[in-house]
Amino acid sequence: MKRFIVMLLVFCMMFSATAAAEGEYNWIEGGTTVDLGDIASIELDPDFIFLDGEETKRMSQEYGDPISGLEVGSIFPLDENQTWAVYFDYEETGHIKDDEKIDADALLKSYKEGTEEANKELQPGERYYVTGWDIEPFYDEQTNNLTWSLLLEDENKETFLNYNTRILTREGNISVILVTDPQNREADKQILNEKILPMMNIKEGNKYTDFNESTDKVAEYGLSALILGGTGLAVAKKAGLIAVLLAFGKKFGVLVVAALVGLWSFIRKKKKNKTSETVEPISE
């Protein structure tokens, strides 16, 4: 626990220094429609704030997070009592068939084995372990959404999780990852499922049902492989691993918690400054 607190403080100071040096980002405040690249749009709630794909990449790079190169946006709350973030990626994988039965037990076993292999390359204090499902993988045929959530812990038994949704499209999938903590996960998942996902609109011609089997490419894998990392699965198998290595960073792990603490302060300071600038003085 002490190690985590030290990491938290150090990372927050690093983020604060970087933010001050680099200046503000191009935030889009809620109450308007924002684009997730060319694939989808979201009617952004007035209580949220948004960064597009390029700004999401820039922010991640500036405070040391790895990027996928597939980022199309990110959403954060303005409520000072909420500390979650939602990240969106889009990958053009080809059309992913959804006729596969998902074996949650086998997938969990694969994740555990993959993580144990990854830990062999890490130093003590850097290792993490998959402990089980927070939510077992399930697929909604009506919305073409694939959802799951893994529980992890570090060597000090601190628990973390990520909540994943993959929205299947005509020629790929939109990755939606909620970064939160176990204490607030239920409330934050409710926000995602009630105020973000229902507000997303896949643009015309890109919906899963727009698939044209005579012209469109079909992905080489299905739902289970998507849960295990998609295209990375082939590499993992060749390396003797069943599961891909877990990426702790912006979307998965302790540094996420630390980074968000600094980020909330940065966002809210900007919000307060903007509000004070728009308030006209009262005439005597």
Side-chain angles (χ1 to χ4, degrees):
M1 185 64 184
K2 289 182 180 179
R3 176 178 172 273
F4 172 73
I5 293 174
V6 171
M7 289 178 65
L8 179 66
L9 293 174
V10 170
F11 202 87
C12 288
M13 288 188 290
M14 290 172 60
F15 176 82
S16 298
T18 301
E22 299 295 339
E24 294 188 354
Y25 301 105
N26 295 319
W27 300 103
I28 298 176
E29 297 191 8
T32 188
T33 299
V34 295
D35 287 325
L36 296 174
D38 297 325
I39 198 72
S41 63
I42 290 181
E43 297 174 34
L44 189 64
D45 189 281
D47 293 329
F48 303 157
I49 198 165
F50 176 82
L51 289 179
D52 66 17
E54 290 305 311
E55 288 294 280
T56 298
K57 292 176 189 176
R58 183 166 76 92
M59 181 184 69
S60 298
Q61 290 175 316
E62 286 177 357
Y63 65 84
D65 267 348
I67 63 172
S68 67
L70 304 173
E71 289 83 358
V72 291
S74 52
I75 294 177
F76 307 88
L78 286 173
D79 185 344
E80 62 183 13
N81 295 313
Q82 297 178 17
T83 53
W84 53 264
V86 176
Y87 292 90
F88 302 87
D89 286 9
Y90 173 69
E91 184 176 13
E92 194 168 303
T93 58
H95 188 77
I96 299 173
K97 293 186 177 181
D98 62 355
D99 55 357
E100 175 188 356
K101 182 179 179 181
I102 299 173
D103 188 335
D105 291 338
L107 289 172
L108 182 61
K109 183 174 183 289
S110 296
Y111 262 116
K112 287 183 175 181
E113 291 177 353
T115 309
E116 290 291 343
E117 288 296 323
N119 281 336
K120 293 177 181 179
E121 305 298 322
L122 300 175
Q123 297 298 317
E126 298 177 349
R127 297 164 185 160
Y128 290 82
Y129 304 89
V130 174
T131 58
W133 293 115
D134 171 46
I135 296 176
E136 289 191 1
F138 69 92
Y139 179 71
D140 187 331
E141 294 182 353
Q142 298 300 315
T143 60
N144 304 115
N145 288 7
L146 177 65
T147 302
W148 73 95
S149 180
L150 273 172
L151 286 171
L152 305 97
E153 66 179 23
D154 64 11
E155 292 171 293
N156 296 319
K157 302 299 181 180
E158 292 283 349
T159 300
F160 308 97
L161 64 83
N162 74 341
Y163 182 77
N164 290 269
T165 300
R166 299 290 184 272
I167 302 172
L168 305 190
T169 65
R170 177 178 178 174
E171 296 183 287
N173 71 93
I174 301 172
S175 167
V176 185
I177 298 182
L178 169 67
V179 177
T180 181
D181 58 78
Q183 290 72 32
N184 296 299
R185 61 186 174 186
E186 294 306 321
D188 294 345
K189 284 189 289 190
Q190 185 174 352
I191 290 172
L192 175 66
N193 291 321
E194 294 182 0
K195 293 188 174 184
I196 297 178
L197 291 181
M199 300 296 104
M200 181 186 295
N201 298 298
I202 307 299
K203 295 183 179 180
E204 197 64 32
N206 292 305
K207 297 179 180 179
Y208 190 75
T209 52
D210 291 328
F211 173 68
N212 186 332
E213 62 180 8
S214 64
T215 61
D216 295 341
K217 173 187 173 182
V218 176
E220 297 179 355
Y221 56 87
L223 301 180
S224 293
L226 187 59
I227 296 169
L228 288 176
T231 53
L233 184 66
V235 177
K237 284 184 176 178
K238 289 180 182 178
L241 306 180
I242 302 176
V244 296
L245 305 182
L246 299 178
F248 295 95
K250 174 182 64 180
K251 299 172 183 174
F252 214 2
V254 65
L255 292 185
V256 174
V257 179
L260 292 183
V261 172
L263 183 58
W264 304 145
S265 175
F266 183 60
I267 293 174
R268 287 161 188 150
K269 181 178 179 181
K270 171 192 174 297
K271 178 69 173 175
K272 289 178 181 179
N273 289 343
K274 182 171 182 177
T275 302
S276 62
E277 289 172 1
T278 57
V279 176
E280 296 182 359
I282 299 174
S283 300
E284 292 293 337

